[in-house]
Amino acid sequence: MAKVLRKFVLPGDLIVKGNYPPAPNTYQMDDGLHSLKVGLSEIEGRNVRVIPLAGRYVPRPDDLVVGVVIDLNAFAWSVDINSFFPAFLTATDVFGKRYSPESEDLSSKFDIGDVIIARVAAYDRSKDPMLTVAGPKLGRVNGGYLMKISPVKVPRLIGRRGSMSKMIEEATGTRITIGQNGIIVINGEPSRIPLAVKAIEMVETQAHLAGLSVSVQNFLSKETGRVVRKPQEGPPQSDDFNSGESE
Amino acid sequence: MTQLISKKNLRLDGRKLDELRPIKLTVGVLKNADGSAYIEWGRNKIMAGVYGPKECHPKHMALPDRALLKCRYHMAPFSVDDRKPPQPSRREIELSKIIREALSPAIVLEDFPRTAIEVYVEVLQSDGSSRIASITAASAALADAGIPMRDLVVGCAVGKVQDKIVADVSDTEDKEGQVDLPVAFMPNLNLITLLQSDGALTKDEFEKAFKLALEKGRYVYEIVRDALLEGFVGRKNEKEGN
């Protein structure tokens, strides 16, 4: 494996000279690839990328998101997913193709103010994002603690194949659902939630630092008074809806 | 007329002809904005806040192919020595427009069609060349908000005072001097985004002044770089203190 070169970059900074394949958060000029954002650039062989350190959530198809229902009409719900457009969830997605506004009432399923876990079904820049709740673990959130982190820090919180979030879940005995849009639902014993919140805040504030999982591991071991192990990295699973980021 | 430059080539505040006033920039100062920056440039004190990209309101203003960039330059009533009426003046409307036009080439507006990006610049204390200080602070705030930009926008105002080319024109020099020439540009791409001039320069004078503006602008760029580095890498301890 080629060595990874990391660098702090600002918008306009030349990351690498020469002709490289297009990469996220970069643009090509005559002299080479430049960064579009404040972030950390990574060069691995001919693969270049910039991990942004700030920014809003941009919906991507298949992302798992947590949102709040803000409006409903006869055919769809409007959901705030912490992005620049409200997403919509169609009635046919929930009630099936035979849905009729005469026989069914949308508010019987999700009402304004309800928190839902959904997946982005479709999005491109010209249309508002469309959601779906068809799938396991999707639908209304019936309880738990909601918190918000910066969406760019979400890959770090998930960790490689979910290792970071699994470690926090196991150490604190909670269940954590992480939306790619930066909204998190924590379920579990009320007394255990504050520790999970602290650990998540720690990940958010130290997301740009190397060796993050070790410091979170030490923090959790100290707080719980027992040895917290890093979970084994299993093979990628189909229900691993959030592809995490390597460290 | 006020003597603006001494026989030893020193200016009213003791600066040399090509010397800038002290500049202090901090990013991420406002919690409720998506991005923010605070700049002290000499006696200028300017706060910039950025929201976006967000839904565009009113909706009829939204553009189908790119984001709408909204800028507001506003001077606080206490920003000048005589109370400034708080409603937008002719000058503030002009500066809002030129700040928008100076920043828009840098921002990748095409990535966010139908949305709006809002830039609010609040001048708390004004002391000459505030448009350049505002653009610098606003571009740092945009970077802080994580909005994709081709480059940062920085600049420097140069001028002609008592027939001499000077860098970083102060308030008195602007009012009593001969020429004020603000320049804003993208230092990596070498593209000018703002060039204004009030007063006349000969061709040679212009070339000298323009070169000085670019040179000093690059110095300002280093300050912005340091501020962003400090803001992002130094931010890790912020929450622990709360």
Side-chain angles (χ1 to χ4, degrees):
Chain A
M1 204 172 89
K3 207 180 154 220
V4 181
L5 293 168
R6 274 219 186 93
K7 203 168 67 175
F8 178 79
V9 289
L10 294 180
D13 281 7
L14 180 65
I15 300 165
V16 65
K17 280 185 187 169
N19 213 357
Y20 275 79
N25 301 317
T26 64
Y27 67 102
Q28 180 83 43
M29 289 295 285
D30 295 341
D31 52 347
L33 275 187
H34 291 253
S35 176
L36 280 173
K37 289 197 178 173
V38 180
L40 296 168
S41 71
E42 282 188 356
I43 307 170
E44 196 177 348
R46 285 193 51 80
N47 289 324
V48 180
R49 64 171 182 166
V50 171
I51 305 161
L53 289 176
R56 286 217 138 188
Y57 171 64
V58 181
R60 262 186 328 179
D62 251 20
D63 273 1
L64 185 91
V65 293
V66 180
V68 183
V69 177
I70 47 173
D71 198 9
L72 56 86
N73 58 34
F75 298 98
W77 291 269
S78 232
V79 185
D80 176 12
I81 55 163
N82 194 26
S83 184
F84 25 87
F85 300 122
F88 66 95
L89 173 67
T90 57
T92 49
D93 185 80
V94 175
F95 295 106
K97 277 187 181 161
R98 300 175 69 92
Y99 165 75
S100 149
E102 284 164 9
S103 53
E104 312 268 10
D105 178 14
L106 261 68
S107 61
S108 67
K109 200 77 185 169
F110 306 125
D111 209 347
I112 292 171
D114 282 358
V115 177
I116 61 166
I117 299 173
R119 204 183 282 280
V120 178
Y123 171 71
D124 68 56
R125 284 179 283 178
S126 63
K127 289 191 212 89
D128 286 355
M130 189 166 85
L131 300 179
T132 173
V133 287
K137 298 175 189 168
L138 304 182
R140 181 164 52 208
V141 175
N142 290 316
Y145 182 90
L146 270 185
M147 70 180 288
K148 213 178 194 180
I149 65 166
S150 168
V152 295
K153 311 282 169 70
V154 165
R156 279 296 247 176
L157 179 59
I158 293 164
R160 196 182 303 189
R161 285 188 197 134
S163 63
M164 182 76 82
S165 56
K166 270 183 207 151
M167 179 167 76
I168 299 173
E169 279 181 332
E170 277 169 23
T172 60
T174 53
R175 252 181 327 106
I176 304 173
T177 310
I178 305 163
Q180 289 286 346
N181 56 343
I183 302 178
I184 299 162
V185 185
I186 309 171
N187 292 103
E189 287 268 323
S191 61
R192 296 183 168 255
I193 287 174
L195 182 59
V197 172
K198 266 192 193 168
I200 292 168
E201 279 175 352
M202 186 176 168
V203 174
E204 194 195 5
T205 49
Q206 303 184 13
H208 57 287
L209 301 178
L212 178 65
S213 61
V214 175
S215 44
V216 174
Q217 196 178 353
N218 291 341
F219 167 77
L220 288 171
S221 302
K222 205 178 116 196
E223 292 288 318
T224 55
R226 62 193 172 84
V227 180
V228 173
R229 283 204 181 79
K230 223 177 143 180
Q232 293 291 311
E233 284 169 22
Q237 289 164 11
S238 57
D239 70 339
D240 250 355
F241 20 68
N242 305 304
S243 59
E245 179 194 316
S246 64
E247 285 203 16
Chain B
M1 203 179 118
T2 326
Q3 174 83 22
L4 293 172
I5 296 178
S6 73
K7 281 177 188 149
K8 287 183 179 166
N9 270 344
L10 291 179
R11 293 149 75 180
L12 285 180
D13 45 10
R15 280 188 288 155
K16 293 185 204 120
L17 294 180
D18 64 345
E19 194 176 335
L20 300 184
R21 290 169 287 179
I23 303 169
K24 210 177 101 193
L25 177 69
T26 326
V27 298
V29 286
L30 303 173
K31 189 176 153 281
N32 294 339
D34 292 331
S36 58
Y38 172 67
I39 194 166
E40 286 183 17
W41 186 317
R43 274 188 304 234
N44 282 306
K45 292 187 178 177
I46 297 168
M47 187 77 89
V50 168
Y51 286 99
K54 55 187 283 225
E55 261 191 295
C56 186
H57 289 294
K59 278 215 160 138
H60 69 84
M61 283 177 77
L63 303 167
D65 60 338
R66 61 185 189 276
L68 178 74
L69 180 63
K70 293 182 183 174
C71 288
R72 190 190 72 176
Y73 169 96
H74 181 249
M75 294 175 85
F78 47 77
S79 62
V80 283
D81 46 13
D82 208 4
R83 175 185 177 271
K84 194 211 140 283
Q87 67 269 36
S89 63
R90 193 221 95 246
R91 183 178 168 276
E92 283 168 289
I93 295 167
E94 179 212 328
L95 260 69
S96 301
K97 175 184 177 285
I98 64 116
I99 291 172
R100 184 179 77 234
E101 288 173 358
L103 294 173
S104 61
I107 306 172
V108 189
L109 294 169
E110 308 82 76
D111 270 6
F112 307 101
R114 302 180 295 132
T115 65
I117 296 170
E118 294 173 0
V119 177
Y120 295 103
V121 174
E122 211 62 34
V123 179
L124 307 176
Q125 185 169 287
S126 169
D127 182 36
S129 303
S130 71
R131 68 192 67 195
I132 291 297
S134 302
I135 290 169
T136 306
S139 91
L142 283 164
D144 182 49
I147 291 169
M149 293 163 83
R150 295 181 184 91
D151 202 348
L152 295 170
V153 184
V154 295
C156 183
V158 289
K160 185 170 145 189
V161 175
Q162 288 181 3
D163 293 327
K164 288 185 174 121
I165 302 297
V166 297
D168 192 13
V169 182
S170 72
D171 196 34
T172 323
E173 288 168 341
D174 180 21
K175 282 172 184 146
E176 309 213 1
Q178 292 151 297
V179 177
D180 176 28
L181 182 91
V183 181
F185 65 107
M186 298 190 270
N188 286 297
L189 301 177
N190 262 327
L191 295 172
I192 306 291
T193 65
L194 167 78
L195 179 61
Q196 292 183 301
S197 178
D198 66 342
L201 289 166
T202 66
K203 198 180 165 203
D204 286 347
E205 279 171 344
F206 176 79
E207 271 171 16
K208 191 181 165 196
F210 187 64
K211 222 177 121 189
L212 184 65
L214 295 187
E215 183 199 320
K216 295 298 165 188
R218 284 185 196 281
Y219 172 75
V220 175
Y221 177 63
E222 291 305 318
I223 294 173
V224 179
R225 278 198 81 90
D226 289 350
L228 282 167
L229 182 68
E230 165 117 25
F232 277 94
V233 180
R235 203 180 274 180
K236 62 178 192 285
N237 297 321
E238 198 180 84
K239 270 206 175 162
E240 288 163 9
N242 292 344

